[in-house]
Each structure stands twice: as structure tokens, then as C-alpha cells.
């Protein structure tokens, strides 16, 4: 009963947005607001009045006391700041890793509003079924589901024995074209290659995808270096995989499997030894040369440092993050428990210590990459990874990028203009500019002074529809009630 009642309440809330639109005034004005120019990393001179009609920004003018027509909706932006809607460039709202739980589709779909309610108006979906993704896109477009703009790759492309459910295992070189063509035909926006792809298959895939101008991104496979992936045109590299190996002086020994482990025989001990050695043999000159290759080839990087951080500090962070659990579907809460989660196995004090040191090293490397001009994207890996919540994690990612050494303005770019440039949709997204889609976040305080101010959301505008702080609260409450009730 409870769940049905609140589901209806929620539907009414969600429909209100639609109903308001049907009878809504044609013009919305956000008055007297400070606009954050994310390209310049500065506020625009003078406060502005922003005009929105339908789902587009139709004008931006220096603020003046005007008397809008009675049917115009006005938001008083005095003392507030406006930024472009944020993008999570590595998200898994239907993570195949969790299909074993199995997900309840209705509660899973309620992960999508959470992005928008926390100011994330666009995502790059990094693995899943194209059917589910298409259904989301349709329902979001029809305003039956509150959700972000979605760009997606569909299933992961992995080796003959894929790591996760739902992946396409490419068994031989002659299958590469068939797989790429069929994925393109299903409407995928790009391809995502995965860790177990043999190097020969990867190289064949990169050649073919390049020849048909179809972008591919992903995990640099275990047997491929980050430089090889960059040269062969991988458009974005995820999670900084293989990067510390490549920056070390023992890289060749690791790829050739000739590393001398002394008398260590246990696999886990070898893992610890190898990673310590990689960090100890980090060569700044080698790193510099690698970053240069990334810049030359326009290779983007999505560090997902908040994922690495939440994993390393899980025991401390799980307590702090308990406030967000009520918004999660039951199957996800279950999968995030240490007893069942694949990412939380074998947590000896030694392993936890190693993971924390790896995070520190990643933070230093991110800073060096940024200084070298490597292009960065904000991504969270939300999904199967514990404590990587939809929406809120993006704010964690931005804060960690600043901790790494980026300025708040540089961090903000990784979630606004950079995603738009990467996805080649700059004419519609990425800045607060006349003519672009009205995906916007109004903040109570200046994010250029303190990046954690991105959490102080006064309102979200998604595709021209306004969600006030009160309606955000009400939506969250409705989601909490639906997700509280375990399905029988
Ligand atoms: Zn991922």
C-alpha cells in the first residue's frame, strides 16, 4: 500500500512539472544573477537577466529593472550564481555488474531523477543494454521520467571470456567488424573497449573504428599501453588504468611478465609488491613524455578519482554517506555490502594501506596531467562501485579534482564545457549562452571561490523546466518512500 501510494504521489509531483509546462507562460526570466563563464573561469561582468523560452536560452542581457508581462515566470537570482548543467562522464545507472542481484526495473529507473536533482543534467552511460537506454531516452524526452541527457555505448566489448554479464566477447579478429557494425546499427553513440580484450583484437578494432569514424573509448586493455591506446585513437581513457605502470621504469618487465618477485609466491602478495614497485619506480620524465603524447593525440582522461577514493576509504566513508542510502534501490544497497561486492574483497590492512597510497599518487598524477595540458573529464563510475551515488558523486569528483591541484574553475570545466567538447555538442551544451539548451544549475554561493558550493543548489533547470529547492526536496522524499519498501 505504502509503496503504491507514494509512487502515485511521486508521479503527481513528476507530472506537475509536465502539467505546469502545458499551461506555463511562454517565457521564463532568471533575473539579476551572476553568470559563471566556465570557459574563462570567471564571473561575467554585471548581473544578468537570462531569458528562456521552451527548452532554450533565448537571450542574456545585463540586468535592468524591467516589468515583465504578467504571464512571464520570474526567478529572482539576486545573490545567486548560475552554471551550466553538470555532466557525469562515466556513469552506470544500469550496471551489468549488478544484473546478478537482479535489479528491479522500476526502482532502478528512479536512479535517473537523482542525477538531475543534484544538478547533473547529462551523463555518458558507460555500459548496459541499448534497449534499456533507448527506453530511458524516450521516456525522458516524453517527460514521463525525470532524467539527464544520455549518451551511451551499449554493451562492453571484451575478450572471448568477458569479465561481466551483458558484454560482447570478441572471440576472433574476423568478428571485429561484425560487432562494431551491429553496435553502430543499434544506435550506440560510441564504443567502449574493456580490460580483457587481447591486444591484437584491440588494434584491429581501433583500425576499423577509425576507418568508419566511429569513436571508441574505454579501459586501456591489460596488454596495451596508454601510449599505444592514445596513438591508435582511443578518444578517452578511463580510471587512469595502466598509467602508473607506463610511468614506471619497470613497465617493460610488467608487460613481458618478467618481473622478479624474489621468493614471493602468493598472488595477493605479488599484487602488493608490484604496485609498491610501480610507485617507487615512477619516472617523472617518462610521465612527461606520455602526457605529451596524450596532448598531441587529443586523448581525454576520465580519472574517476572519487571511485578510487571511496573504495580506498570505504570503512570511514560508508558512515558519512549513510544519509544517501535511502534514495537507492534495495538491490543496489545489497550489492554495495562488503560481503557480496566484488570491489570490496580481500581488504587486509596492507591492501587498504596500498589503496590509500595509490589514491595519493593518482591525485599527484592528475595534477601533473592537468599542468601538462591533458584534457580531463569528470566521471564517477556510479553503479556497482560502493558509495558512488548518482548525482552526489559528481560533486565528490569535483572536490577531489581540486584537492589534486586543479583550480575550482578548472574542475568546473571537466563537468561542463569539456563534456560538451568531447561529445561534440558544444552548440547545445556546456556554457550559459544564448541559443543553447536550458540545462542550468542555480547556486546559493560562488563555485569559483569554493568548489563545494556546487552542492548548494537553489534550483535546477532541466530542458527549460525549473525544479526549485522545495520541489527537489519533495522529489527526494518521494524517491525515499518508494525505495524504502522492499518488493515482495
Ligand atoms: Zn565504469
Amino acid at each position: 500500500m505504502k509503496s503504491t501510494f507514494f509512487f502515485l504521489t511521486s508521479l503527481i509531483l513528476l507530472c506537475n512539472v509536465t502539467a505546469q509546462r502545458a499551461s506555463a507562460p511562454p517565457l521564463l526570466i532568471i533575473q539579476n544573477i551572476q553568470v559563471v563563464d566556465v570557459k574563462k573561469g570567471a564571473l561575467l561582468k554585471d548581473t544578468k537577466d537570462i531569458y528562456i523560452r521552451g527548452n532554450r536560452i533565448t537571450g542574456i542581457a545585463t540586468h535592468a529593472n524591467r516589468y515583465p508581462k504578467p504571464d512571464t515566470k520570474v526567478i529572482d537570482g539576486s545573490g545567486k550564481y548560475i552554471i551550466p548543467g553538470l555532466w557525469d562522464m562515466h556513469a552506470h545507472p544500469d550496471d551489468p555488474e549488478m544484473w546478478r542481484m537482479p535489479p528491479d526495473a522500476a526502482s532502478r529507473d528512479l536512479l535517473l531523477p537523482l542525477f538531475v536533482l543534484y544538478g547533473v543534467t547529462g551523463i555518458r552511460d558507460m555500459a548496459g543494454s541499448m534497449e534499456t537506454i533507448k527506453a530511458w531516452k524516450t521516456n525522458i524526452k516524453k517527460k514521463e521520467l525525470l532524467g539527464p541527457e544520455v549518451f551511451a555505448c551499449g554493451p562492453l566489448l571484451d575478450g572471448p571470456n568477458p569479465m561481466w554479464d551483458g558484454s560482447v566477447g570478441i572471440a576472433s579478429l574476423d568478428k571485429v567488424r561484425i560487432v562494431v557494425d551491429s553496435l553502430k546499427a543499434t544506435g550506440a553513440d560510441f564504443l567502449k573497449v574493456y580490460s580483457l580484450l587481447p591486444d591484437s583484437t584491440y588494434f584491429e578494432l581501433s583500425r576499423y573504428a577509425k576507418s568508419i569514424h566511429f569513436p571508441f573509448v574505454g579501459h586501456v586493455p591489460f596488454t596495451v599501453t596508454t601510449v599505444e591506446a592514445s596513438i591508435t585513437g582511443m578518444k578517452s581513457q578511463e580510471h587512469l588504468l595502466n598509467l602508473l605502470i607506463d610511468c614506471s621504469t619497470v613497465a617493460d618487465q610488467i608487460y613481458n611478465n618478467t618481473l622478479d618477485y624474489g621468493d614471493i609466491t602468493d598472488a595477493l602478495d605479488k599484487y602488493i609488491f608490484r604496485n609498491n614497485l610501480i610507485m617507487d619506480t615512477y619516472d617523472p620524465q617518462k610521465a612527461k613524455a606520455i602526457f605529451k603524447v596524450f596532448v598531441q593525440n587529443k586523448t581525454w582522461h576520465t580519472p574517476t578519482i572519487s571511485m578510487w577514493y571511496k573504495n580506498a576509504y570505504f570503512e570511514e566513508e560508508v558512515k558519512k554517506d549513510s544519509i544517501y542510502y535511502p534514495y537507492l534501490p534495495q538491490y543496489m544497497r545489497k550489492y554495495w555490502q562488503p560481503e557480496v561486492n566484488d570491489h570490496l574483497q580481500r581488504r587486509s590492512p596492507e591492501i587498504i594501506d596500498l589503496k590509500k597510497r595509490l589514491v595519493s599518487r593518482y591525485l599527484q598524477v592528475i595534477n601533473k596531467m592537468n599542468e601538462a595540458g591533458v584534457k580531463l573529464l569528470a566521471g564517477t563510475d556510479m553503479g556497482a562501485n560502493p558509495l558512488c551515488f548518482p548525482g552526489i558523486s559528481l560533486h565528490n569528483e569535483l572536490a577531489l579534482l581540486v584537492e589534486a591541484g586543479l583550480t575550482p574553475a578548472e574542475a568546473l570545466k571537466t563537468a561542463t564545457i569539456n563534456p560538451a567538447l568531447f561529445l561534440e555538442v558544444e552548440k547545445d551544451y556546456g556554457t550559459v549562452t544564448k541559443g543553447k539548451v536550458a540545462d542550468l544549475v542555480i547556486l546559493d554561493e560562488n563555485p569559483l571561490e569554493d568548489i563545494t558550493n556546487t552542492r548548494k543548489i537553489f534550483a535546477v533547470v532541466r530542458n527549460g523546466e525549473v525544479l526549485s529547492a522545495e520541489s527537489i526536496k519533495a522529489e527526494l522524499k518521494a524517491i525515499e518512500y518508494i525505495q524504502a519498501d522492499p518488493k515482495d
Side-chain angles (χ1 to χ4, degrees), residues 252-297:
D252 288 346
Q253 293 164 56
I254 287 173
Y255 286 112
N256 299 335
N257 270 325
T258 54
L259 197 64
D260 180 7
Y261 288 98
D263 49 13
I264 303 169
T265 49
D266 179 73
L268 205 57
D269 290 341
K270 278 186 172 178
Y271 171 82
I272 294 169
F273 173 83
R274 189 168 60 239
N275 278 285
N276 280 327
L277 185 66
I278 289 165
M279 284 192 276
D280 291 344
T281 54
Y282 182 88
D283 178 349
Q285 289 313 316
K286 223 180 155 193
K288 235 181 174 170
I290 292 170
F291 302 158
K292 209 170 158 187
V293 174
F294 296 154
V295 172
Q296 278 165 352
N297 293 302

Side-chain angles (χ1 to χ4, degrees), residues 90-92 95 126 192 194 219 238-239 304 381-382 385:
H90 194 123
H92 300 286
D95 199 329
M126 292 296 274
K192 181 178 176 188
Y194 212 68
H219 287 200
E238 309 301 307
H239 318 300
T304 63
D381 212 4
M382 72 68 53
N385 278 283

Side-chain angles (χ1 to χ4, degrees), residues 336-371:
W336 281 13
Q337 285 169 3
E339 301 77 47
V340 292
N341 193 283
D342 271 7
H343 307 276
L344 293 175
Q345 300 308 303
R346 299 176 296 275
R347 290 181 77 78
S348 65
E350 222 182 346
I351 287 274
I352 292 174
D353 173 65
L354 171 68
K355 288 183 175 211
K356 288 180 177 174
R357 284 184 294 112
L358 280 167
V359 167
S360 308
R361 182 56 61 93
Y362 280 146
L363 287 167
Q364 292 164 5
V365 169
I366 290 167
N367 191 40
K368 291 286 172 212
M369 290 167 85
N370 182 56
E371 283 175 357

